Amino acid sequence: RAQSLEFRLQNESLLVQKALERPLVGWGGWGRSRVYDDTGQPITIADGLSEDFITALSEVDGNIWIGTVRSGICIFESATGRLRKIEGPNFLLTHIRAFAQDSKGNLWIGTQNGLVRYATGEFHLVPVQQLPELSVRALLWEADNTLWVGTRDDGLLRIRGDQVFHFHARNGLIHNRIYHLLATADDL
């Protein structure tokens, strides 16, 4: 931590210059849960964002999908520089927590109230029979057609086709809260 702070202090102007080359994004309080334009100004509702507080981001086909707390999803279209609000079903009007695109181009969306799949222009709520109260926090798609789902209180799910394997504290996890997923070179 000390080396990181020292680097940031010594190179502040370089870091700011680099950051201003493209939109900035940050999480947390004090205005950091925002998207910023190339001048450092926050992109807000007035610019087309469905709400000012963002909870998830993903690059999909060259565009940025932006999840919000209770206002669904917006897409920043890279080609035009415009924001577009997605008109979706009411089940998207909750915390959007994560995105993952599969090998067929479908987009998986993790929400406070479950798992959603976006395919051929339509949103579909995906029930997980074992967990009707599923609260998704993280998603990861792997090339072997496995969707990993990190949850708030229900551990980790491995979904491959119609098969769901549930990892939780009773079968080996240290804790049932999985907020981040990271693929490694060989395995998760």
Side-chain angles (χ1 to χ4, degrees), residues 54-66:
I54 60 171
T55 54
L57 294 167
S58 185
E59 186 275 327
V60 179
D61 300 327
N63 298 315
I64 305 297
W65 284 55
I66 303 169

Side-chain angles (χ1 to χ4, degrees), residues 14-163:
L14 176 66
L15 293 170
V16 169
Q17 181 182 3
K18 186 69 175 165
L20 289 176
E21 291 177 10
R22 59 183 49 218
L24 306 173
V25 178
W27 303 146
W30 304 285
R32 293 181 292 159
S33 301
R34 310 290 295 273
V35 179
Y36 296 87
D37 67 16
D38 57 356
T39 68
Q41 295 301 307
I43 297 172
T44 67
I45 293 171
D47 301 305
L49 200 57
S50 58
E51 79 176 69
D52 289 338
F53 193 83
I54 60 171
T55 54
L57 294 167
S58 185
E59 186 275 327
V60 179
D61 300 327
N63 298 315
I64 305 297
W65 284 55
I66 303 169
T68 67
V69 174
R70 285 191 170 62
S71 299
I73 298 169
C74 286
I75 297 176
F76 175 77
E77 298 173 340
S78 299
T80 64
R82 297 185 138 172
L83 279 166
R84 177 171 52 97
K85 185 176 188 316
I86 297 292
E87 297 300 327
N90 286 341
F91 58 73
L92 288 176
L93 300 178
T94 185
H95 288 74
I96 305 295
R97 299 289 189 183
F99 297 104
Q101 191 170 24
D102 68 23
S103 57
K104 295 178 183 174
N106 299 314
L107 187 65
W108 295 87
I109 304 165
T111 79
Q112 180 77 20
N113 298 324
L115 184 61
V116 175
R117 185 173 55 91
Y118 178 73
T120 61
E122 294 183 9
F123 294 94
H124 304 276
L125 197 54
V126 179
V128 178
Q129 297 305 322
Q130 304 96 319
L131 302 167
E133 302 284 323
L134 183 66
S135 180
V136 177
R137 290 299 195 261
L139 295 171
L140 177 69
W141 181 264
E142 288 195 307
D144 69 352
N145 294 325
T146 299
L147 178 65
W148 293 93
V149 180
T151 73
R152 181 175 185 272
D153 291 316
D154 294 307
L156 179 66
L157 304 177
R158 182 183 66 208
I159 302 173
R160 189 177 296 145
D162 292 335
Q163 296 181 346

Side-chain angles (χ1 to χ4, degrees), residues 159-173:
I159 302 173
R160 189 177 296 145
D162 292 335
Q163 296 181 346
V164 178
F165 186 83
H166 185 194
F167 299 90
H168 46 77
R170 292 185 310 275
N171 68 6
L173 284 183

